[in-house]
Amino acid sequence: MIELMMLGTGSGFSRKYYNNNALFNLNGYKLLVDCGHTAHRSLNDLGMSWHSAIDGILITHIHADHVGGLEEVALDGKYKYNKKVDLYIAQDLVMPLWNNCLQGGVCDPLHNDLSDFFNVKAQDEKPFQINGIQLALIHTEHVPGKKSYSVLIDDLFFSSDAQFDEKLIVSMNEKTRMLFHDCVLDKSPIHASIDELLTLPYDIQEKIWIMHYSDHLEEYKRNNDMGKLKILQQHKQYLLKN
């Protein structure tokens, strides 16, 4: 079974929507894909908290809307709940996450390593398993010079943050049933835009659910053709596989 609830579907600087973070249920294992600075507020709105709702976290890259909530997980896990969650992360993101994002906020003389706060499960781009479900990290281009990954979960593609890459999307279309893709409503050098996604054939558009959109999405919908693209909604439960 695979279920999905988006804790948020907004762009990094959205005021209307929470950060684009995805809570997957993988045969009963609760995997949060990215944990941004609004993740805990979103969970609270749902009557949930990280220590009871999340078994593991997968990090795709180290922008604040994707890792800003990890400090709370680290500190509360260590000092309040005596709990470490699994942390799935590309091997080449382990040190940047610790050195550039978490060390200054959570380390002390006795705890000065990411593994002091998480069960670190560093990955390369080979497939791995979580509770009987196969996943794989896919290196994708986002901000030049900074590592970023999309993730393949069974036969589902989740872009996280990525530039438009038609070759990759076509390849993923051949392997997957659904594609969850970030989408800005204006042209961007670091995200796929709706205009770019609308250049894809209809049979591919029909598989795409857009996320990471800006606050004027509803206004945009009223005034523009969105082709066959679907809109992923935050706090809605989606059953993706029985």
Side-chain angles (χ1 to χ4, degrees):
M1 178 190 71
I2 302 178
E3 293 178 322
L4 168 64
M5 178 181 287
M6 298 297 295
L7 295 191
T9 53
S11 67
F13 304 115
S14 172
R15 298 294 179 264
K16 182 176 179 181
Y17 306 104
Y18 290 132
N19 295 156
N20 194 74
N21 304 161
L23 183 58
F24 284 91
N25 180 346
L26 306 178
N27 290 330
Y29 183 99
K30 305 298 179 60
L31 178 71
L32 180 62
V33 176
D34 291 326
C35 184
H37 51 82
T38 66
H40 299 285
R41 184 149 38 100
S42 179
L43 285 167
N44 184 71
D45 287 354
L46 292 164
M48 303 161 69
S49 58
W50 76 263
H51 66 277
S52 59
I54 295 170
D55 299 306
I57 300 171
L58 185 151
I59 294 301
T60 63
H61 63 293
I62 63 171
H63 282 157
D65 56 323
H66 296 263
V67 300
L70 285 179
E71 184 172 317
E72 181 172 335
V73 178
L75 292 175
D76 272 2
K78 171 64 69 178
Y79 300 110
K80 186 174 181 180
Y81 298 111
N82 190 31
K83 176 180 179 178
K84 286 184 182 181
V85 301
D86 298 333
L87 183 67
Y88 293 89
I89 183 170
Q91 182 67 59
D92 55 12
L93 287 180
V94 172
M95 293 312 296
L97 176 65
W98 178 250
N99 292 336
N100 300 333
C101 301
L102 289 178
Q103 184 179 36
V106 306
C107 76
D108 60 46
L110 298 178
H111 308 101
N112 193 27
D113 189 84
L114 195 61
S115 62
D116 290 325
F117 300 91
F118 298 95
N119 295 320
V120 180
K121 298 180 179 291
Q123 305 293 324
D124 53 23
E125 293 186 54
K126 296 177 183 177
F128 60 97
Q129 296 268 332
I130 297 179
N131 214 27
I133 304 293
Q134 182 169 288
L135 296 87
L137 296 175
I138 303 167
H139 178 255
T140 42
E141 293 298 325
H142 178 33
V143 174
K146 293 187 176 182
K147 294 287 187 179
S148 187
Y149 292 85
S150 297
V151 59
L152 193 61
I153 302 176
D154 194 62
D155 58 358
L156 309 165
F157 175 75
F158 188 91
S159 74
S160 186
D161 288 3
Q163 298 175 26
F164 180 70
D165 184 339
E166 183 174 3
K167 184 177 179 180
L168 176 64
I169 294 172
V170 170
S171 171
M172 289 297 107
N173 175 63
E174 295 171 353
K175 300 175 182 178
T176 62
R177 290 184 298 112
M178 303 172 75
L179 299 96
F180 304 107
H181 209 294
D182 60 313
C183 176
V184 295
L185 305 180
D186 303 301
K187 190 169 179 58
S188 167
I190 59 174
H191 288 283
S193 71
I194 192 165
D195 287 342
E196 290 170 321
L197 292 177
L198 288 173
T199 66
L200 296 167
Y202 277 160
D203 65 309
I204 299 180
Q205 289 185 37
E206 287 177 336
K207 287 188 179 182
I208 295 177
W209 294 71
I210 64 169
M211 58 187 187
H212 197 280
Y213 39 75
S214 56
D215 288 346
H216 63 287
L217 174 66
E218 294 302 321
E219 178 185 354
Y220 185 94
K221 281 172 54 183
R222 288 193 297 269
N223 298 307
N224 297 274
D225 177 22
M226 296 191 62
K228 301 293 184 179
L229 303 175
K230 302 177 181 66
I231 298 169
L232 200 56
Q233 298 178 41
Q234 69 181 29
H235 293 181
K236 180 176 178 178
Q237 189 81 41
Y238 296 88
L239 177 61
L240 305 181
K241 187 173 185 178
N242 285 317

